[in-house]
Amino acid sequence: MLSPADRALVERDRAIPGLALVLDADALLATLRRALPGIDLRAARVTYLRYKSGMSCLATCELQLGDEQVDAYLHAYGPAAGDKLTSASQKSSTTGPLGPGQLVFPEHALVVAACQNDEQIPGLKYLVRAEKRLKLLRSVLPGRHDLHGTRLERLSYKPKRRYVGAVLTPQGPALVVRAYAASAPVPVPAQRRLYAQGSILAVAPCVALEPRRRIQIFEWLPGTVLRDMAGRSSEREAGFRRVGQALAELHDLTDPASLGPVLGVAQLASAAQAISTICPMLAARSADLAQRLAQGLESLSPAVLRPLHGDFHPAQALIHGERVGVLDFDRAGIGDPAYDLGTFIAHLERDYLTGRIDRAALEHLSAAFIAGYAAVGGGPSPASVRLHTAAALLRVAPEQFRYRDPDWATTMTALLERAAHLAAPVEVRATGPAPPGKPTQVDDPYGVDRDPAMPFLKHALDPETASRELRHALAKFSGGALVQIRAIRVIRHKPARRCLVEYDLDLIRSGRIVEALTLVGKVRARGSDTKMFACLQALWRNGFDDQTEDGVSIPEPVALVPALHLWLQRKVPGAVATSLLAGHDGVELARRITDAIHKLHRVGVQAPRTHTMADELGILRPRLAEVARVYPTLEPRLSGLMEACERVGADMGEARWANVHRDFYPDQVLVDGSRLYLVDLDLYAQGDPAIDVGNFIAHLIEQGLRLHGDAGALSGQIAAMLERFASVSGDLARVHVYVALTLARHVSISTQIPERRWTTLALLELAERHVQTLRPGGGPVASSSGSA
């Protein structure tokens, strides 16, 4: 079935009729089985695709025919499909495992064919069939006598661009063959410059070329792929250290004159455009990040240009004893060595965000890799590597969609958030003089200075006014240092209500930058919330600073700026818990988050307001009424749901009050290694502690439904939270009531966000079911919190 993100894409792009089939493996398999009744077709899986909005989608597909795996491609066309479909049906193509020629599905504007019928890669037909492959290899390698009885195993295939395969003999792998499209440049000159051996580095020699068929043939490099290394952590770290040494040797190769430049900056805009096409809600964020990264990279001190791999990551390195083989130089060029280092670390960051490795592995393996590089080549500055890592995270973000990550939208969001964090100024004691004054960069993608209800926003974004107000407000915080604003960015805006603005600052003393930092400004239409700011200061002083031994903190509250209706707090590092909860350490993270919110419940800093069950029901009532107004056919069910919520709320009885977050869900937790930051405590109140855990669990249920198509996808995390909360509080009955109320509120939320509207009915059913299972006084008749 289509994932929620894929379904949203298909609904937006109706110009490509076959897009839904390409993205839905089950529907594709059913369609192919109907077209090929005489073939034992068991499975179909798309592993890569290239999508052009409104025009076409080209995909690599693995087909399981009996016990044989067949490589095929799918081409879904847009409005110009007619002539291309006719041409495909009339071509006399090679007979393959799917029969003669290409399969054409006019109703879907879709063409399906085995890879040997990929006419854009002329060499493929000479590689896939055994007799043609033997003839080719004999002609270009006349001295080789071990090439009888070979078979070809696909390593990678990008339709109409490139095919890479291993030639396997009965004795084992012998060669790697690479076949390129007729229209694509074959990077032979670049690779020949880099065919060199070092004390650790090994690069496969090119043993033959077949220019007419655009084929390269290489010796097989033995070894274990670094990304797949198992064993003790010390052995893995040693492998990563050797890979760092090998990369340094590669960068030391001489005579790179024939290599072209690696166009890292130019790739950022392309990546942002790709992200905006497949996930429009990330368009502004990715465009802003690309611009900031481009400016940051261009501002770096010029590096000595060295030969680069151009696409270096843990799957491109082989460990074989003390040697390291490096693969795939198709993107080789010259540039800043930090480009390769950052690309490598970005892939480790992605492995962490997708749950493939844990935080400790990310830190230890990255450090081992950098240490190995530094032992041979010294290396770029940490700031340069950090910025190139951020840029690489932006570049790889669209790959989550292209390589069919089932949760690609969530992972892509997490990658952008991590890139933005790495791109932000690092808070360090600087050692150099302050740069000459530059105009303050102002980025306002929302046009907030035109919000008539918040006229003071134009002053918050005006560099001169903001500088004057911030210098006054930060006088004590800065210790008398000069405050200089480098950049102002609007991050979020709710018209007529509130706005989030980031200020990049330099603190300058005696002409030198003593600290670079980013402050987050929270602007409210009703003015600065002085009572809440005082509470944050008290929380910071009472066990929530960034040095606490238990690893639970809040962002440091810095200053009030009444003239601009804002307060300032320090921007903290970390990735939002949303994506991490679905990853490798998700269950343990859920326990840690429960401990963190319990700490907030126990703190002795009294909140300035209260929040009761009557308040909660008062928020829900108009929201469900509005849904009923927009969807009148749902009115009876929504009224029944509201009545049930009122009933279970009235039955609950008095709560044991505590200080609560009151808007607690995964986005409100930032994870920075062993430290958790609780953010956005604007609604901090005295209330029922069960509201925070119930709200959080309901968000996990909604997240599972929206991102995985399964409300119980995060049931392990939910069970862990309930178990931990029961051990410290003992009152789960009230939690289940708040789960039901929050699910009901999500019914309303889903109708307000176009990408979520497909979940409205499912959420309504979940809320109805959950509230109906509650006993008087709360708690489920038969607990099913994981699937709710």
Side-chain angles (χ1 to χ4, degrees):
M1 61 180 287
L2 287 170
S3 72
D6 286 337
R7 182 184 294 109
L9 179 61
V10 169
E11 290 174 355
R12 286 196 305 273
D13 193 347
R14 298 185 181 276
I16 305 176
L19 184 59
L21 278 184
V22 175
L23 299 180
D24 186 342
D26 294 335
L28 174 65
L29 180 62
T31 300
L32 292 176
R33 281 175 171 168
R34 288 193 295 270
L36 301 166
I39 292 179
D40 182 15
L41 184 56
R42 300 179 182 177
R45 184 170 76 97
V46 170
T47 58
Y48 167 84
L49 52 83
R50 190 164 77 249
Y51 168 66
K52 295 181 179 179
S53 178
M55 297 176 63
S56 67
C57 186
L58 186 61
T60 306
C61 185
E62 294 177 355
L63 300 175
Q64 192 67 37
L65 273 61
D67 296 328
E68 179 187 5
Q69 181 177 295
V70 172
D71 297 318
Y73 71 86
L74 318 173
H75 202 157
Y77 291 96
D83 293 343
K84 294 176 181 178
L85 295 175
T86 301
S87 174
S89 62
Q90 294 175 349
K91 284 181 179 176
S92 58
S93 304
T94 304
T95 298
L98 302 181
Q102 302 169 321
L103 295 172
V104 179
F105 298 88
E107 69 276 24
H108 301 294
L110 178 70
V111 173
V112 181
C115 69
Q116 53 261 53
N117 283 318
D118 186 341
E119 296 182 347
Q120 297 299 313
I121 306 179
L124 257 178
K125 66 177 96 175
Y126 299 96
L127 294 174
V128 174
R129 297 181 69 90
E131 64 276 12
K132 288 190 175 185
R133 182 169 64 250
L134 178 60
K135 183 177 180 181
L136 171 71
L137 294 176
R138 279 178 170 173
S139 69
V140 296
L141 297 169
R144 294 288 294 262
H145 305 293
D146 60 339
L147 301 177
H148 291 278
T150 64
R151 60 187 179 87
L152 185 69
E153 182 177 286
R154 188 253 307 148
L155 299 176
S156 74
Y157 173 43
K158 294 184 176 180
K160 307 196 177 186
R161 284 194 173 183
R162 187 185 73 174
Y163 179 95
V164 182
V167 176
L168 308 179
T169 71
Q171 292 74 39
L175 301 167
V176 172
V177 292
R178 305 174 74 90
Y180 295 88
S183 58
V186 180
V188 173
Q191 295 211 197
R192 282 185 162 174
R193 289 283 182 183
L194 295 172
Y195 293 152
Q197 308 294 325
S199 61
I200 295 176
L201 173 68
V203 180
C206 180
V207 295
L209 298 173
E210 221 295 1
R212 186 164 61 89
R213 297 182 177 112
R214 304 182 70 75
I215 293 173
Q216 298 176 341
I217 304 176
F218 302 84
E219 287 289 359
W220 175 267
L221 275 181
T224 301
V225 177
L226 179 68
R227 190 170 189 251
D228 299 333
M229 275 191 74
R232 294 189 305 238
S233 59
S234 59
E235 294 173 344
R236 292 182 73 196
E237 288 179 29
F240 275 76
R241 190 173 295 107
R242 286 202 301 278
V243 170
Q245 293 172 310
L247 182 63
E249 289 185 355
L250 174 62
H251 288 171
D252 279 343
L253 293 178
T254 58
D255 193 19
S258 65
L259 299 178
V262 171
L263 302 175
V265 171
Q267 295 168 0
L268 299 176
S270 298
Q273 180 58 48
I275 292 168
S276 68
T277 298
I278 57 181
C279 199
M281 66 181 180
L282 296 177
R285 189 184 308 184
S286 59
D288 171 68
L289 182 58
Q291 183 181 23
R292 288 164 52 198
L293 285 168
Q295 292 169 343
L297 292 172
E298 289 169 350
S299 70
L300 291 174
S301 299
V304 176
L305 300 183
R306 306 302 306 166
L308 302 184
H309 181 278
D311 187 27
F312 195 61
H313 54 79
Q316 302 281 40
L318 300 171
I319 304 295
H320 185 60
E322 295 301 313
R323 301 300 298 275
V324 173
V326 176
L327 310 173
D328 189 4
F329 286 86
D330 280 8
R331 298 185 190 176
I334 58 170
D336 186 342
Y339 181 97
D340 276 349
L341 291 163
T343 300
F344 187 96
I345 294 173
H347 280 76
L348 289 179
E349 293 270 4
R350 179 169 65 177
D351 283 348
Y352 166 62
L353 291 172
T354 55
R356 198 173 190 276
I357 61 175
D358 60 24
R359 182 76 191 189
L362 168 63
E363 294 172 352
H364 294 158
L365 298 179
S366 298
F369 170 67
I370 292 294
Y373 187 93
V376 175
S381 70
S384 177
V385 174
R386 178 186 174 100
L387 199 57
H388 276 282
T389 301
L393 285 169
L394 175 60
R395 293 198 307 272
V396 303
E399 293 181 3
Q400 302 309 117
F401 172 72
R402 291 176 188 145
Y403 288 95
R404 307 311 296 134
D405 174 358
D407 199 10
W408 58 265
T410 301
T411 307
M412 191 182 299
T413 303
L415 289 167
L416 292 184
E417 289 168 348
R418 181 58 178 160
H421 169 64
L422 292 174
V426 186
E427 296 187 19
V428 295
R429 294 289 170 181
T431 58
K438 292 183 179 179
T440 300
Q441 179 191 346
V442 179
D443 186 9
D444 175 17
Y446 302 96
V448 302
D449 60 346
R450 298 188 296 275
D451 186 336
M454 302 175 75
F456 40 83
L457 276 173
K458 63 182 177 183
H459 301 302
L461 302 188
D462 175 60
E464 183 177 348
T465 305
S467 293
R468 183 176 63 250
E469 296 296 337
L470 264 62
R471 285 169 186 165
H472 175 73
L474 298 175
K476 183 177 179 181
F477 172 81
S478 66
L482 174 67
V483 177
Q484 180 173 291
I485 301 178
R486 283 180 285 105
I488 304 173
R489 291 183 298 278
V490 179
I491 304 302
R492 287 199 295 272
H493 178 227
K494 290 197 173 181
R497 296 178 62 189
R498 56 184 178 268
C499 187
L500 201 65
V501 183
E502 287 187 356
Y503 295 93
D504 293 342
L505 307 177
D506 289 331
L507 304 185
I508 302 170
R509 186 176 287 114
S510 300
R512 301 175 72 83
I513 300 173
V514 295
E515 188 172 8
L517 71 158
T518 298
L519 297 182
V520 178
K522 293 196 168 190
V523 189
R524 296 199 325 159
R526 292 181 294 171
S528 305
D529 189 342
T530 56
K531 291 182 179 179
M532 191 60 244
F533 184 76
C535 272
L536 293 177
Q537 290 180 310
L539 287 170
W540 177 263
R541 293 191 301 267
N542 285 271
F544 281 87
D545 63 75
D546 57 7
Q547 301 299 316
T548 55
E549 292 185 2
D550 62 10
V552 179
S553 305
I554 66 169
E556 179 186 3
V558 173
L560 283 165
V561 191
L564 301 180
H565 287 223
L566 64 79
W567 80 51
L568 294 168
Q569 62 188 40
R570 192 184 290 263
K571 185 174 183 178
V572 295
V576 292
T578 307
S579 57
L580 299 180
L581 280 162
H584 180 75
D585 295 325
V587 171
E588 179 56 31
L589 178 57
R591 294 190 184 100
R592 290 172 58 199
I593 290 172
T594 309
D595 288 341
I597 197 61
H598 181 61
K599 174 183 174 180
L600 186 70
H601 294 162
R602 292 183 294 114
V603 72
V605 177
Q606 185 169 324
R609 60 178 71 91
T610 61
H611 185 79
T612 66
M613 174 57 73
D615 294 325
E616 189 74 3
L617 293 170
I619 293 170
L620 181 60
R621 199 175 295 112
R623 292 193 175 194
L624 292 186
E626 176 61 18
V627 177
R629 188 189 67 80
V630 177
Y631 299 97
T633 58
L634 296 180
E635 194 279 333
R637 293 178 65 183
L638 292 164
S639 295
L641 176 61
M642 189 65 229
E643 290 174 5
C645 289
E646 302 258 16
R647 184 172 60 254
V648 298
D651 288 343
M652 272 222 306
E654 292 297 321
R656 175 185 55 81
W657 275 28
N659 294 302
V660 299
H661 187 288
R662 235 277 278 154
D663 190 27
F664 195 55
Y665 61 98
D667 278 8
Q668 308 287 40
V669 182
L670 294 180
V671 184
D672 185 37
S674 61
R675 185 162 297 279
L676 301 181
Y677 289 96
L678 305 182
V679 301
D680 198 7
L681 284 98
D682 298 17
L683 300 180
Y684 182 65
Q686 297 176 61
D688 187 343
I691 192 174
D692 284 337
V693 180
N695 192 68
F696 199 100
I697 287 173
H699 276 78
L700 291 181
I701 294 170
E702 188 274 341
Q703 180 181 333
L705 173 67
R706 174 167 46 89
L707 299 181
H708 305 279
D710 177 9
L714 301 176
S715 59
Q717 291 80 338
I718 292 170
M721 291 197 78
L722 289 170
E723 179 185 4
R724 180 72 82 176
F725 190 69
S727 70
V728 297
S729 174
D731 190 357
L732 291 185
R734 307 180 74 86
V735 171
H736 289 290
V737 171
Y738 283 109
V739 171
L741 298 183
T742 306
L743 286 172
R745 193 168 70 250
H746 268 295
V747 174
S748 169
I749 295 170
S750 71
T751 65
Q752 298 165 24
I753 303 173
E755 293 82 6
R756 297 189 186 185
R757 285 175 187 158
W758 70 272
T759 67
T760 298
L761 290 177
L763 285 167
L764 177 56
E765 183 179 343
L766 283 168
E768 290 170 331
R769 192 184 340 148
H770 200 92
V771 77
Q772 288 166 6
T773 62
L774 297 177
R775 298 191 198 96
V781 174
S783 179
S784 59
S785 58
S787 57

